[in-house]
Amino acid sequence: MSRGNLFLTSSLWLIIAFLVIYPLSILVLESFKIAGSTGWGIHNFLEFFQDTYYLKTFGNTLVLSSLVLLATTLFGIPLSYILARYRQRGKTFFTALILLPIVLPAYAGVFAFVIFLGKFGTLNLLLMDAGLIQKPINWIYGLHGLVFIQSLHLLPFIVLSLSAGFTTIDPSFEEAAEVEGASGFRRFITVTLPLCTPTYLAGAVIVFLWPFTDWLTPLILGQIDFLPSVAYINIAYHFTDMHRKYMGIVAVVISSLVCIMLFLLARWWVERKKYTGLSKGTTSEGRVIEPGATIKFLSYLYMLFLAALVLLIPIVLGLAAFSRRWVFEPFPTYWTLDNFRVILMETPLLLQNSFVFSGLALIFGIAFGLPAAYLIVRTRIRGKDALDFVITLMLAFPGMAVGVSYLLAFWKGIPLATHWIIMPLALFARRLPYFLRMAHSSYLQLDISLEEASEVSGAGKFRTFLNISLPLLIKGVLVGVVMFFIMAFQEISTAIFLYRGGWETLPIGIFLNWHRGMEFGIAAAMAFLMIVITFILLLIIARIGGGILKAAWGPGVR
Amino acid sequence: MAFIEIQNLFKRYRKVVAVNHIRLEVKQGEMLTLLGPSGCGKTTTLRCIAGLERPEEGDILIDGKSMILGGFVQPSKRGIGMVFQNYAVWPHMKVYNNIIYGLKLQKISKQKIRERAQQVLELVGLAGLEDRYPGQLSGGQQQRVALARALVRNPKVLLLDEPLSNLDAKLREKMRFEIKSLVKRMGITSVYVTHDQAEAMVISDRIVVMNSGNIVQIGTPLAIYEAPANRFVADFIGTMNFISGEIVDMPRDSDTVYVRTEFCEKMRCRTNVIADTTLGAKVNASIRPEDVEAFTEAPHAGENLFKGVIAHKAYLGNFLYLFVTIGNSMIRVQIPHHIPQEEGEELYLFLNPEKCMILR
């Protein structure tokens, strides 16, 4: 164990301790405090589970999670089968489109559907104009709308994990089933699907956890009786009401616990269940079938339907962004650039903050992630597995938990929360795994003998890193960098708890503009701008990593 | 004179012992091969010489200088050249830059670097390809780039880790001779790792046979083939028939022993270097398939002549390969001529006592 590596691990651990372990333990400690006294105990938790209201929010969230998982699975199985197995034109295009929601912020989708499917939204107005309905139909305000919007946002995760399964199954498994006499549907149910369970589970966990972390979608749809939304309202609006504050903190802790436990459970299960021989695909694309005409038509129709729903998001937001006073009309009639004038000229601070905070977070991310990836992949230093574990765990932590814990931890003792640096620091801590995973996986692909050859040739470790490792890693690292930036740029759940006047970012601007109910157009324009920036960054990834498809798939590869 | 000295080298990965206290000397200018099945510790030994692994115990001396106990010398400071199994040619550098990488780290004028690179490129037969990227080269050419890179700094020691295992059979055979003559011409002390016995026979001055972390035998290719130290070596290098039995007679003042086997009371064998040959010892009477003579009819009554039945018969072009059962034993026979008998028919085998050795 060399001295340099030892120094590196200890500094990384110090950072982790300060930015992850310390604030999160403060959060947990706080949940055990008894309001109005100096005592400790499980009092808060008891109260939470005895209160029928809070118990109901917990139940609601579970129901929502199950429904969303059910919906995404039902829609995802045929979709991923089509994408993975059928040979057809435009597959790349459809895949990219259907996977798009991964990189779009969830709130962009909500706003778009509020405009399009709202009470007097485009669809209702069109239907009423056509005389098909008398009164507007409630498309989205309610559990059904919540399930619909969250499912659309989460569908890509299921599709990614299932089609990864479909493409990597050794074709001979299915061929053997065919030879044994099981054909078509039966083979699919008895062989194909069961073999996909490990990969499916990886996606299913992400989907199931989402309702435990998403506070904003229910809030916008006027459905607040869900764990994260209640937590947000209690903490953000009733900070002075001790009881409600503690109930909020307990809600955050419980959501986090659910997330972490499920995440670990899935990880453990996937590790245990990895089928041997699964990775031995004979062809790179697996089994590809030429579908019959009817099937082909139906599958196109199906893909088109889902792609259209996804496409609605940027289209509707675009319409709203370039118009004003779009109310009670199916389509806007007054076109203007005024919204963008307001964003770019009157409040350039938001955009500036977003770039500065995300940029700083990114620099922290690289400075932390590259050495961490090096330690984890290339050394046998003690504690590296624990380091990897803690960082990966951040994937499962709700952004809200990070935000609240920073608020609690960096207020008194270490008054970091009074300085704007808390914003990039929190973004860095929250999005840490994204960059690390990417650097990690490209490091794994880098054959160690390439580095050894350099050392044997007379170059020291550091020079080897600069001359050999970095140039060969750069693609993966850059993709990770851009992905990290996108994620930091869109981040709201953590930032919403930490921002103060003058620190607002673009996502917070979107939220505030919606919240004040004044300038829906500006909120839409901001969301549209966000999508445009995301898209530009994605194009950059595609340039680096080769192919828009990879760009869209990248974040799903964990 | 020992140029590389390996003293009591011990290395383990967690609980698995990879190299178990081995001692070894490589002479100046010698081409030594570490040969053994996978997992025998040959690559670990090589990587310890390179400095890519740190042994738990022992020392390695190169040109009289301690590499470990006198303070660990980094691979970059050992003055060695190494060819990796997968070549490890850097894909982001042109051939020329790959080759001069190590030279550039030394304080040498640009002119000198160019001259030296040109020399080496011609030596390995890559002249004219310096501006290609590795991706545009064939496997054999990449192999030459790796070789050129290893030789360019005039290393004191050249290490080769199964350098030919990724090439196709024809090219592999050709490269064996090329590497050997190149290294011999330059007079570099080299250590070569392989699991291919034919490769080891062609390329080495001496072969070190290893098994599960230990050195089993050291010797010239001839010595190792003709007088293997034990059953493992005999089986690993070439093919050997083993007929288990026990020593029943040892006439004094002769190099002959008699072994009782399952099908014969007194089979005559030649003694070899096995020290503890005692009456009653359990041994294997051993003979190589090409040393067995086959006869259609009994030639003359005598020692070591047995009647057997052909179990399998295969024509392999330049020779005939037979599996013959004598009693319950199966003897492999390789003969350069045809015989009329078919499978299931009888023939006579003469196990030449001069070629019959006893092994443990």
Side-chain angles (χ1 to χ4, degrees):
Chain A
M1 193 186 292
S2 81
R3 203 173 301 164
N5 288 348
L6 202 63
F7 172 74
L8 218 53
T9 8
S10 21
S11 6
L12 294 186
W13 269 114
L14 270 180
I15 295 172
I16 288 285
F18 182 63
L19 289 180
V20 177
I21 298 172
Y22 163 66
L24 288 176
S25 22
I26 291 285
L27 173 72
V28 175
L29 283 181
E30 193 76 14
S31 71
F32 286 108
K33 270 188 188 159
I34 295 169
S37 75
T38 51
W40 303 78
I42 54 164
H43 178 79
N44 292 330
F45 287 86
L46 287 179
E47 207 168 309
F48 185 92
F49 282 108
Q50 277 158 5
D51 189 322
T52 47
Y53 173 70
Y54 291 115
L55 206 57
K56 193 181 83 185
T57 61
F58 186 71
N60 283 348
T61 318
L62 270 181
V63 169
L64 180 62
S65 281
S66 315
L67 288 177
V68 170
L69 184 59
L70 189 70
T72 48
T73 305
L74 285 182
F75 279 89
I77 288 176
L79 183 60
S80 24
Y81 194 80
I82 292 170
L83 290 176
R85 290 294 175 79
Y86 289 167
R87 182 175 290 132
Q88 48 197 178
R89 261 165 214 277
K91 198 158 130 174
T92 317
F93 173 76
F94 278 113
T95 312
L97 212 58
I98 288 164
L99 295 181
L100 196 62
I102 291 189
V103 286
L104 292 184
Y107 43 87
V110 192
F111 283 119
F113 286 113
V114 165
I115 298 173
F116 188 78
L117 297 175
K119 204 158 200 183
F120 292 97
T122 308
L123 188 62
N124 273 336
L125 288 173
L126 283 176
L127 288 175
M128 285 200 290
D129 285 351
L132 289 171
I133 53 171
Q134 301 303 315
K135 276 196 293 183
I137 295 174
N138 178 9
W139 295 106
I140 49 168
Y141 293 104
L143 189 62
H144 59 292
L146 207 45
V147 171
F148 162 66
I149 288 178
Q150 291 198 335
S151 298
L152 192 67
H153 180 68
L154 295 168
L155 187 60
F157 291 102
I158 291 288
V159 172
L160 270 181
S161 50
L162 269 179
S163 49
F166 287 147
T167 40
T168 51
I169 294 176
D170 191 327
S172 59
F173 285 139
E174 288 179 309
E175 282 158 5
E178 261 169 76
V179 172
E180 294 295 318
S183 64
F185 190 67
R186 194 183 170 81
R187 184 192 71 229
F188 182 74
I189 295 291
T190 53
V191 175
T192 314
L193 266 192
L195 283 174
C196 283
T197 34
T199 53
Y200 166 74
L201 219 72
V205 167
I206 297 175
V207 172
F208 193 83
L209 295 183
W210 184 260
F212 281 90
T213 64
D214 181 16
W215 53 278
L216 188 52
T217 310
L219 209 62
I220 295 176
L221 295 181
Q223 307 287 312
I224 54 161
D225 296 343
F226 294 93
L227 216 46
S229 310
V230 159
Y232 170 73
I233 289 172
N234 275 8
I235 293 171
Y237 297 150
H238 304 281
F239 216 76
T240 44
D241 178 339
M242 276 312 192
H243 175 70
R244 294 196 66 168
K245 173 188 154 188
Y246 279 110
M247 286 303 102
I249 290 175
V250 167
V252 171
V253 171
I254 289 173
S255 311
S256 310
L257 276 180
V258 171
C259 291
I260 299 275
M261 266 157 40
L262 274 177
F263 183 77
L264 292 181
L265 204 69
R267 230 170 95 115
W268 170 78
W269 200 83
V270 170
E271 280 301 310
R272 203 179 54 110
K273 268 277 184 171
K274 253 185 205 157
Y275 296 111
T276 45
L278 209 62
S279 59
K280 277 190 183 170
T282 47
T283 58
S284 57
E285 54 172 3
R287 234 170 110 102
V288 177
I289 309 162
E290 186 76 48
T294 324
I295 301 273
K296 201 166 197 167
F297 176 74
L298 286 176
S299 66
Y300 265 119
L301 212 61
Y302 188 62
M303 288 195 294
L304 216 58
F305 166 68
L306 289 171
L309 282 179
V310 172
L311 262 184
L312 265 181
I313 299 170
I315 290 175
V316 170
L317 287 177
L319 290 179
F322 289 101
S323 66
R324 273 263 157 123
R325 300 196 295 269
W326 179 13
V327 274
F328 296 113
E329 288 158 341
F331 297 103
T333 46
Y334 178 77
W335 300 96
T336 176
L337 286 173
D338 202 45
N339 293 324
F340 290 100
R341 190 187 57 79
V342 173
I343 299 170
L344 297 174
M345 312 297 283
E346 288 181 17
T347 53
L349 194 67
L350 265 62
L351 209 54
Q352 189 192 321
N353 280 344
S354 272
F355 274 107
V356 171
F357 294 163
S358 314
L360 276 176
L362 178 60
I363 292 170
F364 298 151
I366 297 171
F368 183 92
L370 269 185
Y374 164 77
L375 281 177
I376 292 167
V377 178
R378 279 291 183 260
T379 68
R380 284 197 281 265
I381 201 155
R382 205 173 297 179
K384 65 163 192 156
D385 291 333
L387 191 71
D388 191 20
F389 180 74
V390 171
I391 295 170
T392 312
L393 215 54
M394 288 301 279
L395 272 180
F397 254 104
M400 190 177 245
V402 179
V404 174
S405 65
Y406 270 47
L407 199 59
L408 295 169
F410 295 120
W411 196 249
K412 282 174 202 150
I414 309 167
L416 207 59
T418 54
H419 193 276
W420 59 264
I421 196 73
I422 191 87
M423 299 290 281
L425 279 179
L427 290 185
F428 157 71
R430 168 97 210 271
R431 297 305 191 190
L432 191 56
Y434 283 85
F435 181 73
L436 184 73
R437 288 283 108 192
M438 209 70 86
H440 186 257
S441 60
S442 21
Y443 232 123
L444 280 180
Q445 283 164 20
L446 176 64
D447 192 331
I448 192 166
S449 62
L450 291 171
E451 295 171 329
E452 289 173 348
S454 163
E455 282 183 51
V456 169
S457 297
K461 284 213 188 298
F462 188 65
R463 194 191 288 270
T464 296
F465 180 76
L466 281 188
N467 287 345
I468 307 296
S469 320
L470 201 58
L472 292 172
L473 286 173
I474 201 83
K475 252 190 189 178
V477 168
L478 278 180
V479 170
V481 159
V482 183
M483 212 52 233
F484 182 97
F485 190 84
I486 292 176
M487 290 300 157
F489 200 79
Q490 297 176 346
E491 148 63 46
I492 184 166
S493 300
T494 300
I496 196 80
F497 288 97
L498 297 173
Y499 84 94
R500 308 171 99 194
W503 305 352
E504 294 93 342
T505 59
L506 206 53
I508 293 175
I510 297 173
F511 178 68
L512 291 179
N513 273 299
W514 164 80
H515 195 275
R516 292 179 192 134
M518 307 182 297
E519 291 292 355
F520 211 96
I522 291 181
M526 284 175 170
F528 185 70
L529 201 62
M530 188 89 117
I531 293 179
V532 171
I533 292 171
T534 303
F535 205 74
I536 292 171
L537 291 171
L538 277 183
L539 283 181
I540 294 175
I541 295 188
R543 251 286 159 70
I544 306 167
I548 187 78
L549 197 61
K550 258 198 193 150
W553 282 50
V557 183
R558 282 150 199 260
Chain B
M1 190 184 89
F3 193 72
I4 306 174
E5 239 184 290
I6 296 173
Q7 301 174 341
N8 205 26
L9 192 74
F10 181 74
K11 170 79 188 172
R12 66 173 159 207
Y13 298 106
R14 296 186 196 235
K15 278 186 185 155
V16 183
V17 175
V19 177
N20 191 12
H21 299 289
I22 64 165
R23 290 160 199 281
L24 184 61
E25 292 186 354
V26 189
K27 298 187 200 101
Q28 173 116 45
E30 185 182 27
M31 210 158 171
L32 185 95
T33 297
L34 303 178
L35 175 68
S38 61
C40 72
K42 56 191 191 299
T43 296
T44 306
T45 307
L46 191 81
R47 288 171 63 84
C48 284
I49 300 175
L52 296 170
E53 302 282 349
R54 284 172 197 241
E56 259 87 348
E57 290 170 38
D59 198 0
I60 292 169
L61 272 66
I62 297 178
D63 202 5
K65 238 183 81 191
S66 163
M67 293 289 128
I68 293 148
L69 294 182
F72 187 80
V73 180
Q74 291 293 335
S76 52
K77 302 276 180 278
R78 292 193 180 191
I80 50 179
M82 183 160 175
V83 180
F84 290 81
Q85 182 170 14
N86 56 357
Y87 321 137
V89 174
W90 300 304
H92 62 303
M93 294 182 190
K94 289 179 176 170
V95 167
Y96 183 77
N97 291 326
N98 255 290
I99 291 173
I100 64 162
Y101 182 81
L103 284 183
K104 274 206 309 195
L105 297 170
Q106 298 173 333
K107 301 229 179 314
I108 306 177
S109 73
K110 276 216 163 125
Q111 184 59 33
K112 271 264 172 59
I113 291 183
R114 198 165 304 137
E115 280 170 18
R116 182 75 192 126
Q118 239 6 280
Q119 268 178 1
V120 177
L121 277 165
E122 263 156 45
L123 207 59
V124 299
L126 276 179
L129 296 178
E130 35 293 54
D131 283 332
R132 299 270 187 96
Y133 278 99
Q136 301 166 302
L137 300 180
S138 68
Q141 287 168 327
Q142 290 191 33
Q143 223 276 315
R144 287 162 200 265
V145 176
L147 195 60
R149 184 176 65 191
L151 292 175
V152 78
R153 292 190 308 153
N154 273 326
K156 290 184 285 185
V157 172
L158 180 65
L159 305 175
L160 303 107
D161 185 6
E162 309 216 14
L164 303 181
S165 63
N166 281 333
L167 300 178
D168 63 73
K170 280 260 190 278
L171 192 57
R172 192 156 60 215
E173 215 187 325
K174 183 169 158 241
M175 287 299 285
R176 282 174 195 162
F177 291 100
E178 272 192 36
I179 290 183
K180 179 169 189 183
S181 64
L182 196 65
V183 173
K184 277 286 157 197
R185 214 177 333 147
M186 297 181 70
I188 308 175
T189 309
S190 60
V191 181
Y192 191 104
V193 160
T194 183
H195 64 267
D196 181 334
Q197 46 118 346
E199 203 168 295
M201 302 286 274
V202 169
I203 221 157
S204 335
D205 293 326
R206 282 192 304 156
I207 295 176
V208 178
V209 184
M210 294 184 71
N211 189 27
S212 38
N214 296 300
I215 292 178
V216 189
Q217 190 175 8
I218 304 179
T220 61
L222 184 80
I224 285 189
Y225 192 80
E226 299 275 308
N230 60 18
R231 189 181 165 139
F232 171 79
V233 177
D235 204 25
F236 192 76
I237 293 170
T239 313
M240 185 74 89
N241 290 303
F242 299 106
I243 305 151
S244 57
E246 73 182 70
I247 296 176
V248 288
D249 190 10
M250 292 193 296
R252 206 170 300 167
D253 298 329
S254 94
D255 59 353
T256 302
V257 287
Y258 289 94
V259 178
R260 180 169 64 220
T261 69
E262 170 255 322
F263 56 81
C264 131
E265 275 304 314
K266 265 187 145 187
M267 181 166 156
R268 191 173 141 199
C269 297
R270 155 174 78 90
T271 51
N272 41 341
V273 279
I274 297 180
D276 61 335
T277 318
T278 47
L279 273 178
K282 299 266 182 237
V283 293
N284 290 298
S286 313
I287 186 163
R288 297 213 181 261
E290 67 267 27
D291 293 333
V292 179
E293 290 169 45
F295 297 97
T296 311
E297 289 158 30
H300 51 82
E303 284 176 320
N304 288 12
L305 188 69
F306 305 103
K307 190 152 80 173
V309 177
I310 302 177
H312 307 287
K313 177 179 170 185
Y315 171 65
L316 288 166
N318 47 353
F319 57 83
L320 200 63
Y321 210 82
L322 305 169
F323 280 77
V324 179
T325 47
I326 306 175
N328 287 322
S329 302
M330 180 76 83
I331 309 288
R332 285 168 288 190
V333 183
Q334 180 185 322
I335 45 175
H337 54 86
H338 263 287
I339 50 162
Q341 281 96 332
E342 290 302 324
E343 290 176 3
E345 295 178 358
E346 288 184 340
L347 89 172
Y348 293 91
L349 295 183
F350 173 55
L351 309 184
N352 186 349
E354 287 308 307
K355 301 287 175 77
C356 256
M357 51 189 122
I358 53 171
L359 293 173
R360 296 260 159 165

